[in-house]
Amino acid sequence: MSNDDLLTISGDFDQDLAESDDWLLHKVDEVIERARKEHNAYIALDNCKMLKSIIKTSGLGLAKLLYLIYHYWDEFGIEDNFEDVVYEYVGVHSHTVNRYVRVWGMHAENRVPEEYKQEILGKNIRDQIPIANALVQGYEITKEDWKNLAEAPDYNAVSQIILEDVKESPGRKSALHIFLDGMGTIWAKKGNEPKKFVGS
């Protein structure tokens, strides 16, 4: 599994999975039973491809949906606070909601330069959060920074670019950064020391 396949739709304060939400796990059992009955592993593998596709798009789908609900909140005639209603009804904490709304807001408000839109949009939702946060905080992202962000392979790289290049903060010298390269090799880097092999 690559870092692009990771999906963060929840945070530490979000509600746990309700028993009524475990329909997908039952569906998996049905798919496996059908695959076994027909002696056809591709039935299960096709479902794996489908779930992987859902993982790639569901974070952004949720971000867009939350952004649009927030954008049109006054039209719905609900007097309660948007974040409170989302937490009570959907189970997503206000911190997560705000991050997701900021991410889709970055796209809806055309804050990403045209030439990097697809690369940024194609990143995992988690990787886009530091970018959206920096924009909301009023930081200017240069064309060179956008290029580097578009090419950044994972969350750690995006966060480092935002921290060091966009916010021009040296970062904590004691911070330990873990990287996973395209070959599956794990590297660790602390401060200005050269990166060190950890494993693969």
Side-chain angles (χ1 to χ4, degrees), residues 18-90:
E19 194 172 316
S20 61
D21 292 335
D22 62 0
W23 60 269
L24 181 60
L25 301 178
H26 295 299
K27 183 70 176 164
V28 168
D29 291 335
E30 291 174 14
V31 167
I32 288 297
E33 282 306 308
R34 184 172 153 227
R36 289 179 64 210
K37 187 176 183 179
E38 296 182 27
H39 302 286
N40 184 353
Y42 289 100
I43 292 171
L45 291 171
D46 283 343
N47 279 267
C48 287
K49 284 171 69 173
M50 181 182 64
L51 284 175
K52 185 176 180 216
S53 175
I54 290 170
I55 287 170
K56 295 287 260 185
T57 58
S58 62
L60 277 178
L62 181 59
K64 182 175 183 179
L65 191 55
L66 288 170
Y67 173 84
L68 291 171
I69 294 169
Y70 172 76
H71 186 73
Y72 296 113
W73 189 246
D74 292 338
E75 293 183 21
F76 297 123
I78 300 173
E79 292 185 19
D80 293 329
N81 179 282
F82 166 72
E83 288 90 355
D84 293 341
V85 172
V86 172
Y87 180 66
E88 289 173 25
Y89 195 79
V90 183

Side-chain angles (χ1 to χ4, degrees), residues 109-137:
E109 296 158 16
N110 295 312
R111 304 286 305 270
V112 181
E114 189 65 41
E115 61 265 40
Y116 302 115
K117 273 186 179 179
Q118 280 311 116
E119 288 91 341
I120 300 296
L121 193 60
K123 289 189 176 301
N124 183 287
I125 186 82
R126 179 175 183 243
D127 299 352
Q128 296 185 52
I129 290 171
I131 303 169
N133 284 341
L135 289 170
V136 167
Q137 292 163 1

Side-chain angles (χ1 to χ4, degrees), residues 179-195:
F179 303 94
L180 178 68
D181 68 20
M183 300 296 291
T185 305
I186 303 168
W187 300 91
K189 184 175 182 342
K190 190 172 185 181
N192 291 329
E193 298 174 13
K195 64 182 178 181

